[in-house]
């Protein structure tokens, strides 16, 4: 039996997402924390449209204590969809991310996908450890340096999971 469950990321999770999606979560992401619950709600609406079109999946990661984070898959019409995850700090270090990623990969595999794209920054050690728990290959090349709209400099590394 799973310790967690995945449910579609719907507007019922806006407040929990807003509260947990903090600067400590986004320091390694292109995204920034939402400034208001309404900004979060607008993001959910856009994401919901992508899910309805079939090009994305988005899940709330839930455990016995409630909302733990989110898990997404994008570019589902491509041969190698992109997957991403974030887990709230208070739930890290106990295998929730690994279990959630495994559940997502199993879902996508049932839909016919065999490889997955995962991107993180080179100093995000927890994301790299997560990837290393799966069959993976680091894509060749130097990390790509990007600067976000807010001025964060990120050095992105990419992996294929299979």
């Amino acid at each position: 039996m799973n310790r967690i469950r995945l449910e579609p990321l719907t507007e019922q999770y806006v407040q929990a997402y807003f509260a947990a999606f903090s600067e400590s979560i986004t320091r390694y992401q292109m995204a920034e924390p939402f400034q208001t619950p309404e900004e979060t709600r607008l993001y959910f609406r856009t994401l919901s449209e992508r899910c309805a079109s079939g090009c994305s999946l988005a899940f709330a990661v839930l455990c016995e204590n409630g909302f733990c984070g989110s898990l997404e898959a994008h570019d589902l019409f491509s041969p190698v969809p992109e997957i991403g995850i974030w887990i709230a700090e208070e739930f890290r270090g106990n295998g929730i991310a690994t279990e959630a990623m495994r559940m997502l990969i199993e879902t996508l595999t049932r839909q016919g996908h065999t490889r997955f794209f995962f991107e993180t920054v080179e100093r995000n050690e927890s994301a790299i450890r997560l990837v290393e728990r799966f069959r993976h290959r680091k894509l060749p090349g130097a990390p790509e340096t990007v600067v976000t709209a807010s001025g964060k400099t990120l050095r992105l590394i990419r992996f294929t999971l299979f």
Side-chain angles (χ1 to χ4, degrees):
M1 185 164 115
N2 294 328
R3 296 176 304 139
I4 64 165
R5 68 184 192 285
L6 304 180
E7 290 188 3
L9 189 62
T10 62
E11 287 201 27
Q12 80 184 66
Y13 299 109
V14 164
Q15 197 61 44
Y17 194 108
F18 172 71
F21 197 66
S22 64
E23 281 191 38
S24 65
I25 297 293
T26 62
R27 73 180 173 264
Y28 297 136
Q29 297 184 359
M30 296 291 283
E32 300 294 337
F34 296 106
Q35 298 301 305
T36 65
E38 186 56 32
E39 279 185 16
T40 311
R41 189 169 284 105
L42 291 173
Y43 171 72
F44 272 45
R45 286 183 189 142
T46 300
L47 189 56
S48 176
E49 290 169 7
R50 291 182 55 96
C51 291
S53 75
C55 66
S56 294
L57 290 174
F59 296 101
V61 179
L62 305 170
C63 65
E64 66 183 25
N65 295 324
F67 182 85
C68 299
S70 78
L71 184 63
E72 298 177 12
H74 299 287
D75 302 322
L76 295 178
F77 297 130
S78 79
V80 184
E82 181 175 358
I83 57 177
I85 186 170
W86 67 268
I87 300 296
E89 287 192 85
E90 62 267 27
F91 298 106
R92 291 182 181 177
N94 57 23
I96 289 173
T98 303
E99 192 171 340
M101 283 278 278
R102 186 167 286 115
M103 292 168 77
L104 177 63
I105 288 171
E106 288 170 358
T107 297
L108 294 171
T109 300
R110 284 192 300 273
Q111 294 178 359
H113 295 284
T114 57
R115 294 182 303 144
F116 312 96
F117 177 76
F118 186 86
E119 180 176 75
T120 190
V121 298
E122 66 181 354
R123 66 181 195 260
N124 189 344
E125 295 172 7
S126 61
I128 294 167
R129 281 193 310 272
L130 174 63
V131 165
E132 290 172 345
R133 291 185 179 102
F134 297 89
R135 286 186 41 208
H136 71 283
R137 179 174 60 87
K138 183 178 177 190
L139 297 178
E144 177 187 359
T145 300
V146 297
V147 179
T148 68
S150 68
K152 283 189 292 192
T153 299
L154 304 174
R155 291 178 42 85
L156 301 175
I157 55 175
R158 295 172 173 97
F159 298 88
T160 299
L161 283 70
F162 43 93

